[in-house]
Each structure stands twice: as structure tokens, then as C-alpha cells.
Amino acid sequence: MNIINDPQEMRRCADHLRAEGKTIGLVPTMGALHAGHMSLVHAALRENDVAVVSIFVNPTQFAPHEDFGKYPRTFQSDIEQLKAAGVSYVYAPSAESMYPEDFVTYVEIGKVTEGLCGGSRPQFFRGVATVVMKLFHAVKPHRAYFGQKDVQQCAVIKRMVRDMDMGIDIIILPVVREPDGLAMSSRNAYLSPEDRRQALAISRALFEAGERMCGGERDSTELIRGVRECMAALQIDYVSLVDAESMQEVCRIEGKVALAAAAVLPTARLIDNIIYDPVENRVF
Ligand code: PAF
């Protein structure tokens, strides 16, 4: 396995692979890999000649009061998992190489970043878009893989790639869940047993709303009321029904929508969502 730590070296390697006519699939991660990440890795391996997995806990997407310092870092076991899966390139740049002291350039994306997580974490998408742009420039992927769990992040990256004519296919794969429904997340590692139990209210609330949508409910206020009721024991950050592409709130379901929720538990802030397509009358 090749572990590359330097952006210049990564670019040289990507140029070499492209010159050989190889397609590159990138899975950007912050490490602490779980089955959700691995579903992206397996797809990247299947659909490209070369899969590159990046591991970088990106400081610019955390506010000073957030969990950058305690974010789980499990580099050795991540590498073992990736080796076992057959990944031959890991890009793990150092913070200094990504953000030298005089770094001043950031990527800002309008509108689509405004509500949901962008509302409660105002610095978040600027950091995500900046680091993903840098990863794309270094790895030069044909395709990049993201999980639907971060539904707004997916919409933001898609918009950035479209608006900046980057010509990269953004592939979104379904949320991977624990058997009881909890969406997999590296932050689940923070949960106390009591919070782990309470956290189930989020997915339950969304699934119940999904059933109502499939049963014909189209009214946003009614659906959000139901979700809030199911999550009443939690400190709710937001519950929003938004257009699945623009991330703008909708009053009634007329096209594909995302129903997204975030809650702040004593040991972790968790997010989850479902996507509903009225044409297929199906929840993803
Ligand atoms: O989803 C994540 O793990 C991160 O936000 C990403 C896309 C790797 C950027 O740091």
C-alpha cells in the first residue's frame, strides 16, 4: 500500500495514473472508518481502476468550541481495514502541508449551505468545501464518493463541482445503519449507553415520517410536527424538510425531498436523514 503524505507527491502520482489511462475514485474521509465508509470504499474499488482513500481530520471545518481535539483518530486500524479491502493508495496529508501558516484562501458556497447544519455550524461548509477542493486538486479523481448521511454536504459538493466546472462525478451512497436503525457515524463512539439508547428516536422518527410520506402525507408542517414529537426527549437542533438538491425548505412535497434532523445529546451531536421521491413513492 502507498501512503502519501504530501500534496505535491499526490499530484505527481495522480498525473502518472492518469497518463497510464487509469480512472481514479476518491473516498474523502476523516478516518475512524466504519461500515458506512467501507461501503464507499468498495464502490470506489469496483467502479475505478484505482481507489484513493484520503484520511485527514480537517481543522477548518470545526469551530473552536467543537470536537476537533477529541475526534477519534484510529489511523493504524483504518490502514489495516483499507489494506484488507484491497485499497492501494491512501492520501493522508499533514495539517502543515494542507494549511501552511500563511494560508488565506477559502471556498464559500452560497444558498445551499444556509439552513440545516449550515445554520447551526456556520463555519462548517466553508471548511468542508475548502478541504474537498484541495483533495480534488491533489488526487484528480474521475469520481468521488460520499455518504447520504451527510445529505447537505453531498448537495454542497455537487453544487461546487457543478458551479466550478470540475468535471468530477459525485457518487452518493445510502446511509448505512446499525441493525436497530442508528445511522453509522464516527461520532457514535462518543455516545454513553444511555445516549446510544436515546439516539434511536432520531431514525425512528424519520422512518415513521417516511411511512407517512409513502402513505400520501405531503404537508411539511405536519411531517415535521410528527418527527419533533418522536424526538421530544432529545434536544433538537433542527428538523427540516428541504428540496433534495437545493436544500431550500419546502411547504409541500412536490419533488424529491430530504427530511433531515439533528439532535444534541449530552455526549454527541448526531444527524440523520431520509430522502423521499414522490415519483417512485420510495424512501432512501
Ligand atoms: O464527511 C467527512 O468525513 C468530511 O466532512 C470530509 C468530506 C472528509 C471533509 O473533511
Side-chain angles (χ1 to χ4, degrees), residues 27-31 37 40 54-62 71 99 121 124-125 127-129 131-132 135 145-147 149-150 153 157 186-187:
V27 182
T29 82
M30 297 207 296
H37 295 113
L40 308 179
S54 66
I55 300 181
F56 179 64
V57 185
N58 173 37
T60 63
Q61 68 191 70
F62 292 82
Y71 195 85
Y99 299 114
R121 303 181 71 192
F124 178 62
F125 287 117
V128 168
V131 80
V132 171
L135 294 171
Y145 296 78
F146 295 86
K149 211 245 319 86
D150 302 298
Q153 170 169 281
I157 302 300
S186 303
R187 289 189 168 97

Side-chain angles (χ1 to χ4, degrees), residues 214-231:
C214 290
E217 182 60 75
R218 293 290 175 265
D219 183 61
S220 165
T221 312
E222 189 44 43
L223 289 161
I224 289 174
R225 192 197 53 71
V227 173
R228 284 186 166 273
E229 210 172 275
C230 281
M231 290 174 60

Side-chain angles (χ1 to χ4, degrees), residues 20-172:
E20 286 181 330
K22 300 221 161 97
T23 54
I24 304 173
L26 169 65
V27 182
T29 82
M30 297 207 296
L33 302 181
H34 51 67
H37 295 113
M38 294 313 289
S39 75
L40 308 179
V41 170
H42 290 301
L45 283 164
R46 261 195 322 272
E47 295 169 8
N48 302 277
D49 296 317
V50 175
V52 179
V53 178
S54 66
I55 300 181
F56 179 64
V57 185
N58 173 37
T60 63
Q61 68 191 70
F62 292 82
H65 65 278
E66 290 181 347
D67 56 343
F68 175 70
K70 72 164 189 174
Y71 195 85
R73 289 162 171 85
T74 57
F75 191 72
Q76 267 328 313
S77 66
D78 292 345
I79 294 294
E80 293 315 317
Q81 278 195 77
L82 295 173
K83 264 189 199 157
V87 171
S88 37
Y89 291 90
V90 169
Y91 177 42
S94 64
E96 301 74 50
S97 67
M98 290 295 267
Y99 299 114
E101 248 172 49
D102 56 354
F103 185 91
V104 288
T105 307
Y106 292 89
V107 179
E108 299 254 12
I109 295 161
K111 207 116 175 146
V112 72
T113 58
E114 279 167 11
L116 310 173
C117 288
S120 34
R121 303 181 71 192
Q123 78 303 322
F124 178 62
F125 287 117
R126 182 175 97 140
V128 168
T130 302
V131 80
V132 171
M133 177 75 94
K134 285 172 69 71
L135 294 171
F136 283 176
H137 282 314
V139 178
K140 305 186 182 200
H142 297 80
R143 302 186 184 87
Y145 296 78
F146 295 86
Q148 184 199 307
K149 211 245 319 86
D150 302 298
V151 69
Q152 190 177 17
Q153 170 169 281
C154 295
V156 168
I157 302 300
K158 273 188 164 172
R159 187 58 64 93
M160 175 178 86
V161 165
R162 194 197 77 181
D163 287 355
M164 291 292 117
D165 308 312
M166 296 175 80
I168 298 168
D169 270 352
I170 302 301
I171 318 281
I172 314 295

Side-chain angles (χ1 to χ4, degrees), residues 28 37 42 54 71 92 160 185 188 223 236 240 251 256 261 264 280:
H37 295 113
H42 290 301
S54 66
Y71 195 85
M160 175 178 86
S185 161
N188 290 352
L223 289 161
I236 295 174
S240 291
C251 297
K256 214 183 209 188
V264 183
E280 292 185 44

